[in-house]
Amino acid sequence: MVPMAEFKRIVILTGAGISAESGIDTFRSAGGLWEQHKVEDVATPEGFARDPDLVLGFYDMRRAALAKVEPNPAHVALARLEAEFSGQLLLVTQNVDDLHERGGSKQVLHMHGELKSALCTSCEMRSEWNATMSDRPSCPICKASALRPDVVWFGEMPYQMERIYVALAECDLFVSIGTSGAVYPAAGFVQEARSAGAATLELNLEPSEGSHFFSESRHGKASKLVPEWVAQLLAE
Ligand code: BV8
């Protein structure tokens, strides 16, 4: 890996692993979300059409859980990076929680949406949302009782992909934090960055499915690895 001080344009991708130490279940660990619920039942448009109460209840439970957790040192370290790094930084998260924002990050690109946002299937407008949806509240804008979680399900197009691909084509460092590399298109970002000539760094508890694409992998807990990496980058 080239010395950290060389980097001027950084893209960071985070996944559920950065929120694990805050107490939010990841998807694929033992006892994780996809062991408690079948993906096709709760994270697909077909599942929502088949049983909206199940899906709305699943996201109500995860939205309510946000009130009981706090950002951890990894989230805070990325906020420090945003405040102190003199180059360009794009933070893309696959997470639908609000811990990056509560950790102090001001610019967060939620490519898979957010628990605290409601999408109206009637007027297609979005509203900030902290309440439940299984009681079928009306859209604050058009009043239709047609709200769904503003999250990207399997088979749906992730948000702001054009902006992400432009940033990946221009970056000189791509850092992946706390993701299994199991879901596309996010899992393919490391290859986009590599083909643009960027250095690629993985910070994860264990090797991910895409570890072999990274020029460097560091394994351990995000709350330790991320502050160490940010301090290293800002010191040089
Ligand atoms: C799309 C939001 C195209 C909702 C999520 C075959 C059939 C059908 C579809 C496909 C197929 N092949 C590919 C696809 C596409 C599909 C896909 O990739 N499927 C996979 C399963 C094969 N992808 C899609 O459908 C995407 N859309 O492709 O659209 C398109 C094109 C044109 C027009 C229309 C559409 C949309 C995918 C988005 C799904 N939504 N989340 C919600 O949250 O409920 S996915 C969800 O899982 C996450 O958002 C994330 O993206 C993904 C992976 O989760 P991770 O964040 O990585 O978490 P995970 O538990 O897996 O791993 C945690 C990691 O952290 C582990 O590595 C662990 O070691 C580490 N860790 C744990 N603790 C710590 C730690 N690390 C550090 N410190 C710790 N303490």
Side-chain angles (χ1 to χ4, degrees), residues 95-168:
N95 301 339
V96 292
D97 64 53
D98 61 345
L99 292 179
H100 279 303
E101 291 84 351
R102 289 167 56 196
S105 289
K106 307 232 178 322
Q107 302 286 328
V108 185
L109 196 166
H110 284 271
M111 67 177 287
H112 290 161
E114 299 176 72
L115 286 169
K116 292 195 159 184
S117 175
L119 173 61
C120 178
T121 57
S122 176
C123 69
E124 297 188 347
M125 297 295 281
R126 289 176 170 80
S127 309
E128 191 175 331
W129 200 261
N130 291 294
T132 55
M133 287 188 192
S134 35
D135 47 335
R136 306 305 175 82
S138 55
C139 169
I141 297 163
C142 76
K143 308 303 176 214
S145 172
L147 295 180
R148 61 162 274 186
D150 182 18
V151 299
V152 176
W153 286 325
F154 287 94
E156 296 186 322
M157 180 58 92
Y159 295 153
Q160 301 192 58
M161 289 306 296
E162 194 48 43
R163 181 173 166 213
I164 294 169
Y165 282 124
V166 166
L168 289 169

Side-chain angles (χ1 to χ4, degrees), residues 210-234:
S211 279
H212 55 287
F213 288 119
F214 288 87
S215 30
E216 183 184 352
S217 281
R218 299 180 191 175
H219 298 134
K221 292 191 169 186
S223 62
K224 179 174 179 300
L225 289 185
V226 180
E228 282 174 354
W229 168 67
V230 169
Q232 180 190 359
L233 186 92
L234 294 177

Side-chain angles (χ1 to χ4, degrees), residues 2 6 22 33 37 39 58 76 80 106 130 133 145 200 204 229 235:
V2 300
E6 309 290 304
S22 296
L33 283 168
H37 306 273
V39 172
F58 173 62
V76 175
R80 176 190 172 203
K106 307 232 178 322
N130 291 294
M133 287 188 192
S145 172
T200 51
N204 204 56
W229 168 67

Side-chain angles (χ1 to χ4, degrees), residues 15-17 20-21 26-29 34 43 58-59 62 94-96 112 151-158 178-185 204-206 220-222:
E21 290 161 89
T26 63
F27 292 96
R28 290 169 183 79
S29 57
W34 296 154
F58 173 62
Y59 286 95
R62 289 173 65 192
Q94 301 170 89
N95 301 339
V96 292
H112 290 161
V151 299
V152 176
W153 286 325
F154 287 94
E156 296 186 322
M157 180 58 92
T179 182
S180 61
V183 173
Y184 288 84
N204 204 56
L205 192 63
E206 74 240 332
K221 292 191 169 186

